[in-house]
Amino acid sequence: MSLKILDTCVNCDVCEPACPNKAISLGEEFYVIDPDLCTECVGHHDEPQCVVVCPVECIITDPENIESIEQLDLKYQHLMAKESAA
Ligand code: SF4
Ligand code: SF4
């Protein structure tokens, strides 16, 4: 699953640096998560770091981006391969 930030985000900037995949950026009105980069922290941490640090609990599992652990791990492997090729 990739995660999604709700419009209750208060733009506190805390989650962006916590993301190991650089999947979080400031959108037009509040922070957003790129589903192509979010592995739900699989490969890096036991739990989603953005959820851990968010003070207003506005980050949820995106019902439109449900992925299995295997798919998330594959995405992680692809991201790592891209990073080492860069
Ligand atoms: S779950 Fe992990 S990879 Fe996904 S946006 Fe949050 S911190 Fe980044
Ligand atoms: S930590 Fe939560 S409130 Fe702060 S910018 Fe990220 S999503 Fe928004």
Side-chain angles (χ1 to χ4, degrees):
M1 295 156 279
S2 141
L3 301 189
K4 179 182 179 173
I5 296 175
L6 300 174
D7 63 5
T8 45
C9 166
V10 294
N11 291 337
C12 72
D13 309 326
V14 168
C15 57
E16 185 186 9
C19 178
N21 293 325
K22 297 188 174 73
I24 303 175
S25 61
L26 186 56
E28 279 184 26
E29 291 178 40
F30 51 91
Y31 276 83
V32 293
I33 294 175
D34 183 341
D36 292 336
L37 297 178
C38 176
T39 63
E40 211 181 318
C41 283
V42 165
H44 292 283
H45 302 283
D46 289 341
E47 51 187 337
Q49 296 302 289
C50 54
V51 174
V52 170
V53 299
C54 180
V56 295
E57 297 179 7
C58 68
I59 308 176
I60 60 157
T61 300
D62 186 352
E64 288 173 19
N65 268 311
I66 302 293
E67 294 167 286
S68 67
I69 294 290
E70 290 74 25
Q71 285 172 309
L72 290 167
D73 191 51
L74 199 60
K75 195 194 292 187
Y76 165 73
Q77 303 292 344
H78 282 148
L79 290 173
M80 288 305 102
K82 244 190 199 173
E83 199 168 278
S84 58

